[in-house]
């Protein structure tokens, strides 16, 4: 039987990415980052769409070349349908639709957050079903119970800011450029995680709230800077380590609760914040202590990437879940 080749495109926010997957194995995963947003302290939607338009052809070309794949070998074209910035999604969706029409090959629409979870199925060492996944990105924080590749249930989520936002907004208060999450991670390595204490919001069930963390950091810094205007500079590493510790503690507490509630002890993390070394270490240590089997995607599959879109599309292809050419991207979408 012919092996299935899928070309996938991801353009939901500020990364333009294309990947080729052969029978569930990722052959290439090309990602173009957009540095244009740095000086604005956040993603500017209009600039993101324009950069996607410039990047998409070279990025798709590069992914095909690296995979040694010709367009005529492609069996289906996949794209991120939602959620995301509507202008950014439109670029990927229109490109994928045009390609699907020109090649006469089916189109597959993928939910970005399902794809983050299924990034855990890319490596050879992968979780058996059912498993739990803590998905932590710039826009979402969710606990997901995965019963099969296409049966994923959100059993907890943030009622306000996402974990990535808590990292980025705290970083901004510390004077760090956007996106600040990776920089907090970097400086935290030299700091004391218990140096300062920030508010840990108490939210029922498996839900999260992170807007209080940002506020707690803001008031703390305002007080200390009033006494010593150089307070942040002098304590940057300890501040980063303490902010990171607070966020990771909140996440790990809910993950432990989710394992207790479901009885499922295969535990994964996914999304941009799963690149955080504090969270990765905490998951590993907790896993060892409590006898969980833990899984973390390789770095390139944690932040936004088309590899995760390709693997999700592969399972949709096997299930015959194709999209019509008049399907629209959606900025927000339920599962
Ligand atoms: O999944 P992602 O690439 O995009 C969304 O779908 O939102 O996640 C981006 C988020 C940003 O908030 C970024 O600061 C955060 O992931 N992030 C990190 C790290 N790497 C990326 N946060 C903390 N530590 C990191 N190493
Ligand atoms: Zn994402």
């Amino acid at each position: 039987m012919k092996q299935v080749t899928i070309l996938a495109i991801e353009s939901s926010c500020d990364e333009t990415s294309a990947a080729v997957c052969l029978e569930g194995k990722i052959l290439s995963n090309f990602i173009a980052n957009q540095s244009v947003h740095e000086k604005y302290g956040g993603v500017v939607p209009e600039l993101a769409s324009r950069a996607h338009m410039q990047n998409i052809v070279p990025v798709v070309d590069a992914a095909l070349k690296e995979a040694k794949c010709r367009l005529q070998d492609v069996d289906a074209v996949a794209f991120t349908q939602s959620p995301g910035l509507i202008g950014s999604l439109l670029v990927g969706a229109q490109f994928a639709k045009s390609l699907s029409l020109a090649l006469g090959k089916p189109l597959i629409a993928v939910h970005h957050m399902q794809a983050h979870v299924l990034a855990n199925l890319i490596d050879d060492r992968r979780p058996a079903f059912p498993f739990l996944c803590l998905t932590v990105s710039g826009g979402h924080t969710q606990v997901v119970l995965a019963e099969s590749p296409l049966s994923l249930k959100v059993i907890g989520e943030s009622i306000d800011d996402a974990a990535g936002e808590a990292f980025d907004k705290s970083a901004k208060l510390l004077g760090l450029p956007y996106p600040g999450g990776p920089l907090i991670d970097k400086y935290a390595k030299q700091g004391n995680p218990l140096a300062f204490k920030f508010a840990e919001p108490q939210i029922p069930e498996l839900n999260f709230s992170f807007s209080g963390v940002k506020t707690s950091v803001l008031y703390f810094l305002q007080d200390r800077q009033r006494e010593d205007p150089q307070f942040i500079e002098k304590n940057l590493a300890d501040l980063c380590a303490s902010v990171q510790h607070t966020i990771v503690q909140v996440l790990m507490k809910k993950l432990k609760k989710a394992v207790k509630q479901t009885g499922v002890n295969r535990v994964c993390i996914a999304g941009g914040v799963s690149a955080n070394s504090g969270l990765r270490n905490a998951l590993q240590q907790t896993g060892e202590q409590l006898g969980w089997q833990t899984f973390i995607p390789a770095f390139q599959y944690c932040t936004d990437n088309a590899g995760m879109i390709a693997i999700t599309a592969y399972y949709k292809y096997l299930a015959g879940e194709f999209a019509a050419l008049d399907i629209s991207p959606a900025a927000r979408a339920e599962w």
Side-chain angles (χ1 to χ4, degrees):
M1 219 172 88
K2 185 185 181 304
Q3 293 193 313
V4 179
T5 301
I6 291 172
L7 170 65
I9 292 159
E10 151 66 31
S11 70
S12 63
C13 190
D14 60 340
E15 266 101 20
T16 320
S17 180
V20 175
C21 147
L22 174 69
E23 205 61 26
K25 194 170 164 38
I26 304 296
L27 300 184
S28 64
N29 180 45
F30 204 91
I31 305 169
N33 300 108
Q34 302 179 359
S35 54
V36 63
H37 308 287
E38 261 168 38
K39 60 175 178 274
Y40 299 102
V43 178
V44 183
E46 173 66 20
L47 295 179
S49 318
R50 285 167 193 250
H52 283 307
M53 291 206 292
Q54 282 172 348
N55 292 342
I56 196 143
V57 172
V59 164
V60 168
D61 244 5
L64 287 166
K65 265 202 195 101
E66 197 180 317
K68 298 191 174 52
C69 173
R70 299 166 308 168
L71 269 180
Q72 58 264 42
D73 301 329
V74 169
D75 296 306
V77 184
F79 71 101
T80 304
Q81 188 208 356
S82 63
L85 301 171
I86 193 67
S88 293
L89 290 166
L90 268 166
V91 178
Q94 289 311 114
F95 192 89
K97 285 183 191 184
S98 312
L99 212 49
S100 149
L101 190 63
L103 298 173
K105 294 293 162 75
L107 184 68
I108 301 176
V110 171
H111 193 292
H112 183 86
M113 298 312 294
Q114 292 186 341
H116 269 307
V117 175
L118 297 192
N120 282 288
L121 301 184
I122 291 176
D123 274 354
D124 289 340
R125 184 184 170 272
R126 63 184 73 163
F129 290 94
F131 65 80
L132 285 171
C133 182
L134 171 73
T135 318
V136 269
S137 72
H140 296 81
T141 302
Q142 298 178 326
V143 183
V144 175
L145 175 63
E147 286 165 338
S148 71
L150 302 181
S151 172
L152 309 177
K153 269 193 218 144
V154 179
I155 56 172
E157 61 190 327
S158 176
I159 58 164
D160 44 49
D161 288 356
E165 264 175 293
F167 268 106
D168 295 340
K169 287 178 178 173
S170 302
K172 199 169 178 179
L173 295 170
L174 295 172
L176 300 173
Y178 179 85
L183 291 168
I184 292 204
D185 191 357
K186 180 179 151 195
Y187 294 119
K189 292 194 171 97
Q190 278 104 49
N192 172 8
L194 303 177
F196 307 110
K197 186 129 185 66
F198 300 113
E200 271 184 39
Q202 307 297 324
I203 299 293
E205 309 295 334
L206 296 174
N207 293 326
F208 304 87
S209 164
F210 282 105
S211 62
V213 173
K214 167 197 66 190
T215 315
S216 165
V217 173
L218 172 70
Y219 291 146
F220 175 82
L221 291 178
Q222 278 176 349
D223 278 354
R224 296 300 179 98
Q225 287 279 102
R226 222 174 281 128
E227 290 160 19
D228 175 4
Q230 255 100 54
F231 177 77
I232 293 179
E233 270 171 86
K234 288 181 192 159
N235 296 282
L236 188 60
D238 283 349
L239 284 165
C240 288
S242 302
V243 167
Q244 179 169 299
H245 180 73
T246 305
I247 298 171
V248 169
Q249 284 294 104
V250 172
L251 294 170
M252 289 308 302
K253 273 186 192 161
K254 290 291 170 153
L255 210 39
K256 284 183 198 166
K257 195 168 181 178
V259 170
K260 232 180 189 169
Q261 248 177 46
T262 58
V264 173
N265 68 355
R266 280 179 289 272
V267 184
C268 307
I269 53 174
V273 180
S274 65
N276 182 267
S277 52
L279 179 60
R280 293 168 90 92
N281 292 340
L283 179 71
Q284 228 147 14
Q285 277 171 14
T286 308
E288 279 162 24
Q289 279 163 11
L290 302 181
W292 301 351
Q293 257 186 295
T294 59
F295 302 85
I296 307 175
F299 270 109
Q300 61 164 325
Y301 302 119
C302 286
T303 47
D304 288 349
N305 68 89
M308 68 184 194
I309 305 301
I311 191 85
T312 309
Y314 172 64
Y315 288 104
K316 289 194 131 192
Y317 185 100
L318 296 181
E321 283 190 22
F322 301 111
L325 273 177
D326 63 357
I327 189 169
S328 301
R332 289 175 194 283
E334 297 301 319
W335 285 27

